Amino acid sequence: MNRSRISRRRYCSVSIAACFFGIIFTTNAQRPSAQPAKPANNSTMTVIPLFRWVPPTTELYHFTNVWTTVAGSAAMSGSDDGTNDQARFSKPTGLAIDESSNVFIADTANHTIRKMSPVSNRWVVATIAGAPRLSGSADGTNGAARFNEPAGIALGRSGSLFVTDSLNHTIRKLTPRGTNWVVTTIAGLAGTKGFRDGTNRVARFNQPLGIAADKTDILYVADTYNETIREIKPLGTNWTVKTIAGSPLLWGRTDGVLAGARFHQPAGIAVDSGGNVYVTDNFNSTIRQLRPFGSNWMTKTIAGFAGYPGSGDGANVWARFGAPYGISIDASNNLFVTDSANNNIRKISPVGTNWVVNTWGGSAGTSGTRDDAGWNARFYSPRGIAVNAQGTAYYVADSLNNTIRQGGSSCTVTNIILGHYVKVGLKAYGTVGPPTK
């Protein structure tokens, strides 16, 4: 059935409520009055409206990518563990998801790492490392460990977690031991920012944000305030840090090889199964791809146009972003990006040699907390994003709403249009006389 955009959006506005019940009603069943119209002029003519009865019908509306709040309560910050809206967060940022649909959260302003687990039809949130509102740098187990605004989080192949501890300028590893989590620092020196390639504590970072892990536990880090992309390789019990793109403290927008490329506060990072790395270049309002060839890395802009922020969908340089932050990738190499300044979620799909950008949730320039389908949903500075391997569920750290949102579900709503009358014309009786003086 063809309907105007206005009509479709009207039905979308009731989509969340309708999804719970699966049915809505539209009716105008009362028969309209057929009173004769007042004759014009000096006339004996009577005009009677004619109506036709339209029998009941049904319409099906299918809503895709419905966004719901699964944990936290909008605009209420805190650190409480709990179920669904009883849990509290404080500016959550990074997200990662495992094969069992457990979602791991870098709860930045709480200085903690949280785990959100599906239990029946509920989500249970628990703190697995760090202590709420107590910043620090200590390694340790569970609540004995300390963080200082953890930002990015990535899942390793053995169930370990890797975290960018942004204000400690370090990279941390969380290793599961039974029901415990053991936190260790694998690269950088807490409290000492800088730039240096090297092994373990010799390496230096400057407020790293995004982190990604490939299938062999090679890590990729957006070293945000160094304007570089770093690679961290496991070597026995050591971790070796190397810069693969950008030049320290030299910001710009140039594509190129290794240090010839330039970034402007890269934030999020993801890696695909072929070893290609994708970066949200936050201040350039672009999405970059790093492709390995030999021992080199080639950086290329695949979406957005540096220096021209906006919100338009489109392909390649014709698309516009505000301040892209988090990025995740599914098994089909679709990219999902949180466009934090636009308060929306974008999907970037590879089509041949092109990259096509569509808005996947939220409306550019409009913040809020609404659960709804697609563009009708509302976010407030979304940051981290994680997508499951099947590409069927998406999780967003809605940072300034202090909530975790889930997208990807769909529902079908039956709209029952009850029988009603439709005006089909007029019927006239009598004669027309001369005009009344």
Side-chain angles (χ1 to χ4, degrees):
M1 176 177 292
N2 291 324
R3 287 188 173 271
S4 69
R5 168 171 288 224
I6 293 176
S7 177
R8 291 179 66 87
R9 287 177 69 87
R10 177 172 67 86
Y11 283 105
C12 282
S13 68
V14 299
S15 63
I16 291 300
C19 280
F20 285 109
F21 300 102
I23 188 168
I24 55 178
F25 294 91
T26 302
T27 180
N28 184 20
Q30 182 177 0
R31 180 166 186 148
S33 172
Q35 294 296 324
K38 183 178 181 179
N41 305 322
N42 186 16
S43 172
T44 61
M45 177 175 286
T46 300
V47 179
I48 299 176
L50 301 178
F51 297 91
R52 177 173 59 87
W53 172 254
V54 178
T57 59
T58 59
E59 296 177 336
L60 295 179
Y61 292 90
H62 186 66
F63 299 100
T64 59
N65 200 29
V66 176
W67 292 92
T68 57
T69 302
V70 294
S73 184
M76 297 185 67
S77 65
S79 59
D80 294 349
D81 290 338
T83 302
N84 299 111
D85 62 355
Q86 300 303 306
R88 295 289 181 268
F89 302 91
S90 187
K91 296 183 180 177
T93 302
L95 296 182
I97 185 170
D98 68 14
E99 293 180 351
S100 300
S101 295
N102 296 299
V103 178
F104 299 91
I105 304 155
D107 196 2
T108 302
N110 273 327
H111 313 295
T112 55
I113 307 301
R114 320 285 292 277
K115 179 181 180 181
M116 187 176 78
S117 303
V119 179
S120 299
N121 60 346
R122 301 173 301 155
W123 289 91
V124 178
V125 178
T127 302
I128 62 172
R133 298 178 299 279
L134 294 177
S135 63
S137 61
D139 290 339
T141 301
N142 303 337
R146 294 289 181 270
F147 299 87
N148 194 355
E149 295 201 3
I153 189 168
L155 182 72
R157 60 179 177 175
S158 60
S160 296
L161 299 171
F162 299 94
V163 172
T164 52
D165 198 359
S166 67
L167 293 189
N168 277 327
H169 314 291
T170 56
I171 310 302
R172 316 290 292 277
K173 180 180 180 181
L174 282 71
T175 305
R177 300 261 177 88
T179 59
N180 296 315
W181 292 85
V182 179
V183 179
T184 55
T185 302
I186 63 171
L189 183 63
T192 305
K193 65 182 179 181
F195 177 83
R196 184 188 300 163
D197 289 341
T199 302
N200 303 338
R201 291 162 57 93
V202 173
R204 294 289 182 271
F205 300 87
N206 191 354
Q207 202 167 328
L209 292 181
I211 189 169
D214 74 6
K215 56 190 175 184
T216 63
D217 275 355
I218 295 175
L219 309 179
Y220 299 94
V221 173
D223 194 2
T224 303
Y225 284 85
N226 273 328
E227 315 288 1
T228 56
I229 307 302
R230 319 288 291 275
E231 177 190 74
I232 308 176
K233 281 187 175 182
L235 185 62
T237 58
N238 296 313
W239 296 83
T240 302
V241 179
K242 180 176 73 172
T243 303
I244 61 172
S247 188
L249 304 181
L250 294 177
W251 60 269
R253 64 187 69 171
T254 309
D255 290 339
V257 178
L258 299 175
R262 293 289 182 271
F263 300 87
H264 199 181
Q265 294 202 6
I269 195 164
V271 59
D272 68 20
S273 59
N276 300 299
V277 174
Y278 301 87
V279 174
T280 54
D281 200 356
N282 188 264
F283 274 28
N284 276 329
S285 303
T286 56
I287 310 301
R288 318 287 293 275
Q289 181 194 63
L290 282 68
R291 183 179 293 274
F293 65 100
S295 59
N296 296 314
W297 290 82
M298 176 67 192
T299 299
K300 175 185 177 182
T301 302
I302 62 171
F305 194 76
Y308 290 87
S311 61
D313 291 339
N316 307 330
V317 299
W318 301 107
R320 293 291 181 269
F321 298 87
Y325 196 100
I327 187 168
S328 187
I329 188 167
D330 69 13
S332 300
N333 286 341
N334 296 298
L335 303 174
F336 297 87
V337 172
T338 55
D339 195 353
S340 59
N342 278 325
N343 297 306
N344 60 13
I345 314 300
R346 319 291 291 278
K347 180 181 180 181
I348 309 174
S349 302
V351 180
T353 58
N354 297 309
W355 293 86
V356 179
V357 180
N358 287 290
T359 299
W360 204 238
S363 181
T366 306
S367 63
T369 65
R370 183 194 302 161
D371 288 342
D372 212 320
W375 289 9
N376 288 314
R378 294 291 181 266
F379 300 86
Y380 190 13
S381 192
R383 295 196 175 179
I385 186 166
V387 56
N388 65 4
Q390 297 77 24
T392 57
Y394 321 93
Y395 299 89
V396 168
D398 198 0
S399 186
L400 294 188
N401 275 327
N402 297 308
T403 56
I404 307 300
R405 315 286 291 278
Q406 181 185 33
S409 62
S410 62
C411 73
T412 299
V413 176
T414 301
N415 179 30
I416 298 179
I417 304 175
L418 302 180
H420 57 285
Y421 290 95
V422 175
K423 187 175 181 179
V424 294
L426 300 171
K427 188 170 184 178
Y429 299 91
T431 61
V432 178
T436 301
K437 295 182 180 180

